[in-house]
Amino acid sequence: MARYLITSALPYINGIKHLGNLAGSMLPADVHARFRRLQGHEVLYICATDEHGTPAELAAAEAGQDVATYCAQQFQIQKDACDGFRLSFDHFGRSSNPPNHLLTQHFCETLEKNGLIEERVSKQIYSIDDKRFLPDRYVEGTCPVCGFERARGDQCDNCGTLLDPIELKNPRSKISGSTNVEPRDTAHLFLKQPQMQERIRAWVDKATEWPALARSIAYKWLDEGLIDRSITRDLSWGIKVTQNGQPRPGFDNKVFYVWFDAPIEYIGSTVEWADAHGGDWERWWRTDKGADDVTYVQFMGKDNVAFHTVSFPVTIMGSGEPWKLVDRLKAFNWVTWYGGKFSTSEKRGIFMDAALEILPSDYWRWYLMANAPESSDAAFTLEQFQQTINADLANVFGNFVNRITRFAASKFDSQVPDGGTPGESEAKLAKEFSERLAALTQFHDQMEMRKAAAELRAIWVAGNEYLQVAAPWTALKTDRDAAAIGVRTGLNACALFAILAQPFIPDAAKVVLDALSVPEGNRKWPDPADASVWDALPRGLAFTPPDVLFKKIEDTDVAEWAQRFSGGG
């Protein structure tokens, strides 16, 4: 039994996440966590809401709430949506909780003692009308690179260039809209990343198991040269800056930059888990306390890769303490809405809460992973969603389960029949199943979601092809034993197919396994070399055919959803 620490990029607190956010981190992490648990490994799957930073303050102000109340409310909304999608977190924490405050302050003080943090006075935009310094995202203006007029102070959404607010042309306050702003001196803490550049590069060089996307982004940042990065901001909501365990002089109105504290919450959320469940968080995170045998796997969208491959490792490695570093990193491209962006304000695209109002979570889980944005961006379209669900879930998996269980119920008294001996057709199915199971297991191990879904579908198809050949409904007219072996093989296939489906479509898989009375302890990932799986269901076992697993999506549904989610409505 191995040990797997799995983290998903933290969803930001300001509003419910859309299907693209789900597909790029939380859902594939859940699929992998479920797979590793089925293999019998010890798994800790950790996530949390990312609650600090300017957008949280702005969203709270817009909602007419204080930021703590707003974040508490949004945390519950997001947690409910995650529960609805059956995301099997061992803990879903909050970056605003005390463990993250203590850890973030600890890392900063340790890094400063190691000569990697320096207090500097720099120019920052000050709003005379608002009577305050403006953090990056409180400033908007014209991008100096591409001329986009609504560039944020930290990044231009149009060309992707990382910016300093001082670089913006025609800067204005996002709070009041005032252009009565000017650069003024202010003190901040800077993380001296260039000192760690060679250590980080050597570490990335060894990360041969990362996908090409993740490594290319890390090397892009390293090749351009790491820069000293400000890790504090002029905000009231966030983690206070300390020095020797006390408030840092001159930093009363400053907090840590959200991208400094957010990754530390992976550890913080694990501390929360330990506090809630009596676990030992250090055996997952400290290599001097047992974490050296942990495989740490991170899932994230491509926009988060640089922070996870460079900035966070600078913090962890720079501390000089024996913290666990990531072993495998899975990065995803974007899921788009018909090639464009999802938008809350313009009601464009489907968000997690609305998705669950329309259809059960398995429909979305299957589609998003069968079309995961691994090698390139993937456009979500309702038409492709309809085609995929109807073809894969309704016609292939659902139809197989429905046909064999209903026939067995009506002709064999709802029991697994005895009689008959396996022949050529059964041997062919078992051989194909064993080969495809080995491939499926490898794809899951490599976190290749699309390939894993395609291989699982191929296994389901093989089952349908077997039923066509075995045709127990025809055999029953002349040879009950031949029909019995066809039914028994088909029912065992139902159980096997559902066991393998658990990472992707856990609810439907559970319905099938419950209907076949498969004990919880027998729902583990099978071994491709184990031929006994084809006779696992006891003969004479009573079962109940499940109801239709997946209803087909009709053209009228697509038309209705298109009108509702295409924006402007």
Side-chain angles (χ1 to χ4, degrees), residues 17 46 166 223 226 249 259 349 359 407 417 429 436 513 554:
K17 302 299 112 180
I46 294 293
I166 297 293
D223 291 346
L226 300 186
W259 259 113
L359 288 169
F407 177 74
L429 175 62
R436 290 197 177 279
L513 294 169
E554 304 296 339

Side-chain angles (χ1 to χ4, degrees), residues 494-500 502 506-519 522-523 537 546:
C494 274
L496 285 169
F497 295 177
I499 286 169
L500 299 182
Q502 289 175 105
D507 286 353
K510 185 178 188 306
V511 167
V512 175
L513 294 169
D514 286 351
L516 294 172
S517 301
V518 176
N522 292 0
R523 300 182 183 189
L537 296 177

Side-chain angles (χ1 to χ4, degrees), residues 136-137 143-146 151-168 193 217 220-221 224-227 229 233 257 259 303-304 306-307 310-311:
D136 298 356
R137 291 198 176 192
C143 175
V145 177
C146 72
R152 299 194 314 258
D154 61 344
Q155 187 172 16
C156 175
D157 280 340
N158 187 55
C159 69
T161 302
L162 295 176
L163 299 168
D164 186 294
I166 297 293
E167 298 173 311
L168 289 176
Q193 295 187 133
I217 293 171
K220 179 177 182 290
W221 276 53
E224 289 174 358
L226 300 186
I227 61 169
R229 195 89 179 159
R233 293 291 185 271
Y257 177 39
W259 259 113
D303 57 327
N304 288 341
F307 294 103
V310 177
S311 302

